[in-house]
């Protein structure tokens, strides 16, 4: 049998057209992402090679996923970016540091894996500014997890760069879900016949030909490989045709037959190459020499292997076939040789991995080396790699105590890497061994953390509380942190759990004193945790002084970034519950900036959500929408669920009923599935605002009462009190209004803030007789005017104006209603604006309808980028802040310029900086 010349592409017109359009778009300055998927041998690589040949003028960069490299952090990413490392100095400092640490080029704290992705995006954007760039990632099903996450982050963020990012995968890859896909299937019958005819000169029986085509489903590699080893008679008559299940299995059988026909030394050389994933010919020959394999072994590999500047197999299935065909003893010998050939100073982790594969049984020395590798991997941010090293170390450990300890460390690393089920398996292994008391408490803590990560509700709060109690006599600092985690779990679960989990945690936490408490002043964290425990157990009157001290401490300096990232979410909640809008703004902005500065992208959406809520209360709805949109896009980019509620709040405050109800329904469903009862309370609060704006007070009252069913939801439960008072008084329901006012008054007196006292005065005015109501309304307006909470000030003007009109004081009413209408219109509070317009009309004055401003046509991201540009930020500064590339910033700015009809940044300010922007309370009164 004779096989002719190189393989050629048959058919594939549609697939090549897709790739051609991709290249043309990138030539035109756009970015494109494509996942090419299909079974082994179907022709994916041939398609990519044809695209590379067609990519004239492109710079081409490649990486290949290798099965044995899946546990080495950033291995594939380093392949791809290796040629660009000389450009690291051009990156912003946090990105340069992140990529340098990830690649082991410098020491430093483990970088956020998504900041690594941003650094790669910046590198690719820099190169694409010089010439179009085609990045090919082959065998993506074997990418190490750290590389996969970083590359998918890039794929979801490229927009206006001349970059094509093409993933080639045999099996579905979870991280690649949602990206544009091109499925490659077998050749059509005519093309399959042509391929067989061009490859085989012997005559094929027509029935044999049809059976080959049918059984291979037109898979090109299978069509070429399946007949190998068959005699001419068999091909002519079909006798003895293989009947192995599955196309991949049949191709592997063909490769196995070819392998069996090679000399023994050549077979062993192929096994060395299969076990060495980097394709380094020097390393392969050094290992081969240790096994007594000479260069003559490469003389005839039957086309299965080529050794040149790199070691390459004809197809990835050849590598897997060679490796699987070897006996365990043969594989162990090869890995031992590779370990001996690997420099322990240059590549200690890969050497340790080879040693582990070479170990025939438990080996304490190898386990210890794997443990060291795990530490290095974790320091680079390779959590999945660290977990794999520790898991293998556990398997190689015979002594019960170190085995349990390594299993516990492996379980902790698996949890941090997001592999929750394997973490639980390893945790069970650890708990079955002789752990000491502190380790058993750490195991309890880990079980609670896994429960919280997998589902916010359920047993997480109970498990964490039990762990905290167990830790208390052993490690007070860790116990306090665990109480805080239990408190967070209880708060998230809220109404979806039995009993009162928040109260249980608070009662237990009150008795847990910090280490050294008698010898030093309480820290900011001590004040925060103790104050929150007092708030839950004793009420606002007792807790407020300590919580105010905590806020002041967090607004100061002296706390580490780690402490701030851990606690600022609770600090923001505390500021809201204290009705301290200034601290809320300062601390939420600090939270956002810190998350951006250190690249904590998993934290950033939560921080943005708090900042968006602050802007919403200030009437800066466009800014709030932009921050909420950024939170959503970051969540999508890192493949996390979008848990932000700012868009839901905005829809309620704007009075957009259909949108708000849709978001509320979706939020409720997500909250129930995730066990987050606090989001249900937040959605009910948004509904109460919505219906109060629309003047449908019975529905508003029902929503507010539902929001208050579980009052441990600290932020929105306080806000819902005011909504209940307004809805109840307008519905003629004095009792629920009086009940809510009593609670609100207690909070306001303890808070002493103008925001709280202003809302309390406004609410009391709603329930007061004429002789006292006016003074209360005026007091509320005076107090709220001194704050930045302009949306509530506008509502106060509206309620006072409505009261004045009913007192037959039309001229006075017009003044208040006019102020309310102007503010509502400027903010975009459409339902409340309509309420004010209708009241004005009842006084005889007709308000002008709101004109649709051009800035409303901007997308949230265009609006945010335009605002930052108008404030003087450069494209690179905006890109670093929003986790996009400078080219994407420029793309959005050009679109915004066209929509706004401007041609310079200086002109942007008039269009995109709202007159209600934060510039001090007094500056925003109309």
């Amino acid at each position: 049998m004779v096989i002719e010349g190189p393989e050629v592409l048959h058919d594939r017109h549609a697939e090549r057209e897709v790739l051609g359009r991709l290249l043309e778009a990138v030539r035109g300055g756009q970015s494109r992402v494509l996942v090419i998927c299909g079974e082994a041998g179907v022709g994916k690589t041939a398609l990519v090679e044809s695209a590379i040949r067609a990519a004239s003028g492109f710079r081409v960069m490649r990486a290949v996923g290798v099965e044995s490299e899946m546990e080495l952090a950033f291995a594939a990413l380093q392949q791809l970016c290796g040629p660009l490392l000389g450009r690291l100095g051009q990156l912003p400092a946090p990105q340069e540091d992140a990529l340098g640490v990830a690649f082991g080029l410098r020491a430093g704290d483990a970088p956020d894996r998504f900041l690594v992705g941003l650094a790669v995006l910046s590198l690719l954007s820099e190169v694409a500014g010089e010439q179009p760039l085609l990045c090919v990632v082959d065998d993506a099903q074997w990418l190490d997890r750290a590389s996969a996450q970083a590359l998918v982050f890039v794929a979801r963020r490229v927009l206006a760069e001349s970059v094509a990012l093409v993933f080639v995968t045999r099996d579905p890859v979870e991280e690649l879900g949602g990206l544009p896909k091109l499925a490659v299937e077998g050749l059509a019958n005519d093309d399959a016949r042509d391929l067989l005819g061009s490859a085989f000169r012997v005559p094929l029986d027509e029935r044999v030909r049809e059976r080959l085509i049918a059984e291979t489903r037109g898979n090109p590699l299978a069509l070429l490989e399946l007949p190998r080893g068959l005699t001419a008679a068999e091909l002519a008559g079909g006798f003895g045709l293989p009947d192995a299940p599955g196309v991949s299995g049949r191709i592997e059988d063909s490769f196995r037959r070819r392998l069996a026909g090679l000399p023994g030394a050549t077979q062993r050389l192929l096994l060395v190459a299969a076990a060495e994933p980097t394709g380094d010919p020097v390393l392969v020959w050094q290992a081969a020499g240790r096994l007594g394999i000479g260069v003559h072994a490469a003389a005839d590999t039957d086309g299965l292997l080529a050794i040149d500047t790199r070691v390459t197999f004809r197809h990835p299935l050849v590598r897997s076939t060679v490796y699987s065909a070897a006996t365990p003893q043969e594989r162990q010998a090869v890995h031992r040789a590779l370990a001996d050939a690997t420099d322990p100073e240059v590549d200690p982790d890969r050497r340790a991995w080879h040693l582990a594969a070479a170990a025939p049984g438990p080996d304490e020395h190898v386990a210890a080396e794997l443990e060291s590798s795990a530490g290095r991997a974790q320091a680079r941010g390779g959590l999945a790699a660290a977990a794999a090293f520790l898991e293998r170390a556990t398997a190689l450990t015979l002594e019960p105590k170190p085995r349990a300890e390594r299993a516990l460390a492996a379980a902790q690393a698996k949890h941090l890497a997001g592999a929750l089920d394997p973490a639980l398996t390893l945790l069970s292994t650890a708990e079955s061994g002789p752990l000491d008391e502190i380790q058993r408490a750490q195991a309890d803590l880990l079980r609670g953390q896994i429960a919280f990560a997998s589902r916010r509700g359920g047993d997480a709060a109970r498990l964490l509380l039990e762990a905290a109690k167990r830790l208390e006599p052993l490690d007070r600092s860790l116990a306090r942190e665990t109480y805080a985690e239990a408190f967070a779990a209880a708060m998230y679960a809220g109404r979806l759990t039995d009993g009162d989990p928040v109260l249980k945690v608070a009662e237990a936490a009150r008795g847990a004193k910090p280490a050294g408490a008698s010898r030093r002043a309480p820290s900011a964290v001590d004040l925060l945790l103790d104050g929150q425990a007092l708030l839950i157990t004793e009420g606002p009157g007792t807790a407020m002084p300590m919580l105010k001290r905590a806020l002041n401490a967090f607004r100061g300096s002296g706390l580490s970034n780690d402490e701030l990232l851990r606690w600022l979410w609770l600090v923001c909640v505390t500021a809201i519950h204290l009705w301290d809008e200034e601290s809320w703004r300062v601390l939420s902005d600090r939270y956002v900036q810190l998350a951006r500065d250190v690249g904590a992208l998993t934290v950033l959406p939560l921080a943005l959500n708090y900042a968006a809520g602050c802007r919403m209360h200030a009437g800066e709805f466009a800014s709030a929408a932009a921050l909420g949109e950024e939170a959503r896009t970051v969540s999508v980019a890192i493949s996390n669920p979008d848990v932000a509620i700012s868009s839901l709040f905005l829809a309620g405050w704007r009075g957009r009923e259909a949108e708000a109800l849709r978001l509320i329904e979706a939020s409720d469903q997500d909250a129930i599935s995730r066990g987050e009862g606090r989001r249900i309370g937040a959605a009910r609060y948004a509904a109460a605002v919505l219906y109060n704006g629309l003047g449908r007070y019975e529905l508003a009252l029902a929503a507010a009462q539902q929001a208050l069913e579980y009052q441990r939801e600290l932020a929105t439960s306080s806000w819902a009190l005011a909504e209940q008072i307004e809805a109840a008084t307008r519905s003629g329901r004095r009792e629920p209004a009086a009940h809510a006012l009593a609670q609100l008054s207690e909070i306001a007196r303890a808070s002493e803030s103008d925001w709280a006292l202003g809302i309390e005065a406004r609410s009391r005015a709603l329930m007061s007789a004429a002789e006292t109501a006016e003074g209360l309304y005026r007091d509320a307006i005076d107090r709220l005017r001194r704050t930045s909470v302009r949306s509530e000030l506008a509502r106060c003007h509206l309620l006072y104006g409505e009261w004045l009109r009913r007192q037959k004081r039309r001229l006075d009413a017009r003044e208040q209603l006019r102020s309310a209408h102007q503010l509502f219109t400027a903010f975009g509070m459409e339902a409340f604006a309509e309420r004010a317009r209708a009241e004005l009309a009842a006084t005889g004055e007709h308000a002008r309808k709101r004109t649709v401003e051009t800035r409303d046509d901007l997308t949230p991201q265009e609006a945010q980028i335009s605002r930052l540009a108008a404030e003087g930020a450069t494209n690179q500064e905006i890109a670093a802040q929003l986790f996009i590339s400078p080219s994407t910033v420029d793309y959005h700015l050009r679109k915004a310029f066209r929509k706004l009809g401007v041609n310079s940044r200086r002109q942007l300010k008039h269009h995109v900086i709202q007159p209600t922007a934060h510039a001090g309370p007094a500056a925003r009164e109309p």
Side-chain angles (χ1 to χ4, degrees), residues 61 400 420 432 544 623 625 666 802 852 914 923:
M61 294 166 52
L420 302 184
S432 65
M544 289 295 185
S623 178
E802 289 175 335
V852 177
Q914 287 178 287

Side-chain angles (χ1 to χ4, degrees), residues 798-812:
L798 172 62
L799 290 171
Y800 184 26
E802 289 175 335
W803 181 84
L804 287 168
R805 188 180 72 79
R806 285 160 180 75
Q807 298 298 312
K808 312 298 184 184
R809 295 165 57 183
R810 290 195 301 167
L811 293 179
D812 292 337

